[in-house]
Amino acid sequence: MENEKFQHAVLDKLETLTNEVCGLKSDVSGMKDQVSGIDLRLGKMEVSVSHIQEQTAGLLEFRSETKGILENLAKTKVAISAILGDHEVQIRKNR
């Protein structure tokens, strides 16, 4: 009789452990789905960051070109003012 109680207790514990393992498998499966979703979102973010980097590079190039053009215009203005005189430049600018 004592042996039967022991076997029953072992079987109950085994059933409990089996149920817990099934629960863990379910939890792990859910976590795998979440990780897959995170991987997908991460991939989209990497693409977005790549586009932002490309746009930033383009803007930096545009900034450098524009800065060079403005520096040339400033030098040209100084040269024109030296040739015509500041007074003449102000008169022509106000027309």
Side-chain angles (χ1 to χ4, degrees):
M1 184 77 170
E2 191 67 35
N3 193 22
E4 286 181 25
K5 286 182 183 180
F6 176 74
Q7 288 177 352
H8 186 65
V10 169
L11 287 175
D12 285 345
K13 289 290 183 182
L14 185 59
E15 184 178 343
T16 302
L17 288 173
T18 302
N19 290 337
E20 289 177 2
V21 168
C22 287
L24 288 173
K25 284 182 181 180
S26 176
D27 291 347
V28 168
S29 176
M31 291 173 73
K32 284 181 180 179
D33 291 341
Q34 289 177 346
V35 168
S36 293
I38 290 171
D39 284 344
L40 181 64
R41 289 172 42 202
L42 179 61
K44 289 179 181 179
M45 289 176 63
E46 287 173 342
V47 169
S48 294
V49 167
S50 176
H51 289 301
I52 291 169
Q53 288 173 335
E54 290 173 9
Q55 290 174 349
T56 301
L59 289 171
L60 288 173
E61 183 179 346
F62 174 77
R63 178 183 177 269
S64 295
E65 291 172 358
T66 303
K67 187 176 177 181
I69 291 169
L70 290 174
E71 288 172 357
N72 284 339
L73 285 173
K75 289 177 184 176
T76 302
K77 180 193 175 289
V78 168
I80 290 172
S81 293
I83 293 170
L84 298 177
D86 287 332
H87 180 71
E88 185 67 27
V89 171
Q90 285 297 330
I91 291 171
R92 290 176 187 264
K93 188 170 98 175
N94 290 331
R95 284 186 188 174

